[in-house]
Amino acid sequence: MEKLLVKFETDPAVNSDWNGYIAAANAYLKAGFKEKAVKMLKKSEQFIKGTLRRFGYEILLTLYATVGNKADVYRIWDLYKTLDGKFLNAGYVCMISSLLKLDDLEGTERTFEEWMSRHKLIDFWVPNLLIRAYCNKGLLKKAEHLVSRMIEKGEEPTLVTWDILIAGCHGNNQMEKAVDTMKKALMATPQGRKPNPVTLRACLEYLKDKGDVEVAENFIRLLREHNLVSACDSDRLMNYIRNEEPGSNSIPQMLFDHEVVDSETEMQLWI
């Protein structure tokens, strides 16, 4: 790597630019040489100019967070905020993701509030990052409060938002709340949009184990009304809850016959 860098920096036939140093930084990171990676990132900054600065700074935010340099993350963010033009969601996504990688929840919340103050037209792409972080840390009340706050502003949670909340309840063993949140999600999202099958199965199994057949049947009817299961599968689920189907000891496979929407896909669907 060092020999290539020497040629990169000294050979007049080679056009040195910030991309080359970024590539070197990534290579050093993969090899576990963080100090050398930081040195390359510092050098790359000297070549990030003009219209390239927005994109370049977003990359630097991510990489400085990867090496654990919180001070440099905030320093680049301050430079980012001096750029002219529209302040895009992408910058806030990079910054908030970087702070979460550094486990800086307080800084994440400050940055999120800054985003809220700058954007009149708000979607759930940015909030979902913080909602997921709250759920991962077991801070479900904070996650629920943030969703309620966005709804009060007239924004509708995405299917991914509901999936994050339900998964948070499931992961923190609050299944009654998971079931209630699943019901809200079914009522709020367009018909035919399926929730995460893992948490859906967990909700059904919770209701079965709880022995509350009436609540479980109402839940299954809701699935049927929203075209998430066929009439045949609805009957199979009812039999499963009542233990009336011979050999029925697991949720039918049909709950898994869809593709779960992940955060990367969400960016394409909801930007």
Side-chain angles (χ1 to χ4, degrees), residues 173-268:
N173 200 31
Q174 296 193 29
M175 289 309 303
E176 186 169 351
K177 184 173 287 187
V179 171
D180 290 340
T181 306
M182 181 73 77
K183 290 178 182 177
K184 292 178 182 178
L186 294 174
M187 297 298 295
T189 54
Q191 287 196 7
R193 295 297 301 273
K194 291 186 178 182
N196 186 303
V198 175
T199 50
L200 177 54
R201 181 175 72 172
C203 287
L204 287 166
E205 289 180 342
Y206 166 76
L207 292 173
K208 177 180 172 63
D209 292 341
K210 188 179 179 182
D212 198 333
V213 175
E214 182 178 354
V215 173
E217 290 180 346
N218 289 335
F219 186 77
I220 294 168
R221 289 191 189 97
L222 191 60
L223 294 175
R224 178 73 187 104
E225 289 169 3
H226 284 75
N227 297 320
L228 297 176
V229 295
S230 66
C232 178
D233 285 330
S234 176
D235 290 341
R236 288 171 61 201
L237 284 173
M238 291 286 195
N239 290 337
Y240 168 75
I241 295 295
R242 300 175 186 138
N243 287 315
E244 293 177 357
E245 185 173 327
S248 177
N249 56 11
S250 63
I251 299 293
Q253 179 65 28
M254 52 86 185
L255 291 182
F256 293 90
D257 293 338
H258 85 285
E259 181 179 353
V260 181
V261 178
D262 59 22
S263 58
E264 183 175 349
T265 305
E266 177 199 13
M267 292 182 183
Q268 301 171 1

Side-chain angles (χ1 to χ4, degrees), residues 108-222:
T108 300
E109 291 174 328
R110 286 197 308 268
T111 305
F112 176 78
E113 292 302 325
E114 181 181 301
W115 174 79
M116 287 281 286
S117 68
R118 281 177 173 261
H119 289 72
K120 293 182 180 180
L121 296 176
I122 294 174
D123 59 41
F124 266 86
W125 182 20
V126 175
N128 279 350
L129 296 172
L130 186 53
I131 294 167
R132 189 186 301 277
Y134 284 147
C135 288
N136 288 342
K137 290 180 175 292
L139 303 173
L140 295 182
K141 288 186 178 180
K142 280 196 167 188
E144 292 169 338
H145 174 73
L146 181 51
V147 173
S148 297
R149 183 180 169 191
M150 299 296 291
I151 293 174
E152 289 172 2
K153 288 184 172 291
E155 303 301 324
E156 291 296 328
T158 68
L159 177 62
V160 173
T161 306
W162 291 117
D163 276 348
I164 292 169
L165 273 180
I166 297 164
C169 295
H170 177 215
N172 288 278
N173 200 31
Q174 296 193 29
M175 289 309 303
E176 186 169 351
K177 184 173 287 187
V179 171
D180 290 340
T181 306
M182 181 73 77
K183 290 178 182 177
K184 292 178 182 178
L186 294 174
M187 297 298 295
T189 54
Q191 287 196 7
R193 295 297 301 273
K194 291 186 178 182
N196 186 303
V198 175
T199 50
L200 177 54
R201 181 175 72 172
C203 287
L204 287 166
E205 289 180 342
Y206 166 76
L207 292 173
K208 177 180 172 63
D209 292 341
K210 188 179 179 182
D212 198 333
V213 175
E214 182 178 354
V215 173
E217 290 180 346
N218 289 335
F219 186 77
I220 294 168
R221 289 191 189 97
L222 191 60

Side-chain angles (χ1 to χ4, degrees), residues 8-120:
F8 177 70
E9 294 177 326
T10 61
D11 191 337
V14 178
N15 182 25
S16 299
D17 67 0
W18 66 280
N19 279 302
Y21 288 112
I22 292 294
N26 273 314
Y28 279 131
L29 278 175
K30 289 179 181 179
F33 300 119
K34 288 188 176 182
E35 291 184 4
K36 290 184 177 182
V38 170
K39 185 178 179 180
M40 294 299 100
L41 294 177
K42 298 288 187 182
K43 285 190 174 184
S44 74
E45 292 184 40
Q46 303 171 23
F47 294 89
I48 298 177
K49 299 175 182 178
T51 58
L52 295 174
R53 287 186 298 165
R54 188 183 304 278
F55 180 59
Y57 289 160
E58 289 170 2
I59 292 177
L60 287 172
L61 286 172
T62 301
L63 290 177
Y64 276 129
T66 300
V67 299
N69 284 25
K70 184 188 294 189
D72 282 318
V73 168
Y74 278 105
R75 179 177 60 81
I76 295 298
W77 182 239
D78 287 339
L79 292 173
Y80 190 100
K81 290 190 290 185
T82 65
L83 298 176
D84 295 330
K86 185 178 180 181
F87 218 75
L88 302 176
N89 278 356
Y92 279 101
V93 168
C94 283
M95 182 57 177
I96 288 175
S97 297
S98 297
L99 293 176
L100 290 174
K101 189 178 293 186
L102 293 165
D103 200 26
D104 184 0
L105 185 59
E106 183 178 342
T108 300
E109 291 174 328
R110 286 197 308 268
T111 305
F112 176 78
E113 292 302 325
E114 181 181 301
W115 174 79
M116 287 281 286
S117 68
R118 281 177 173 261
H119 289 72
K120 293 182 180 180

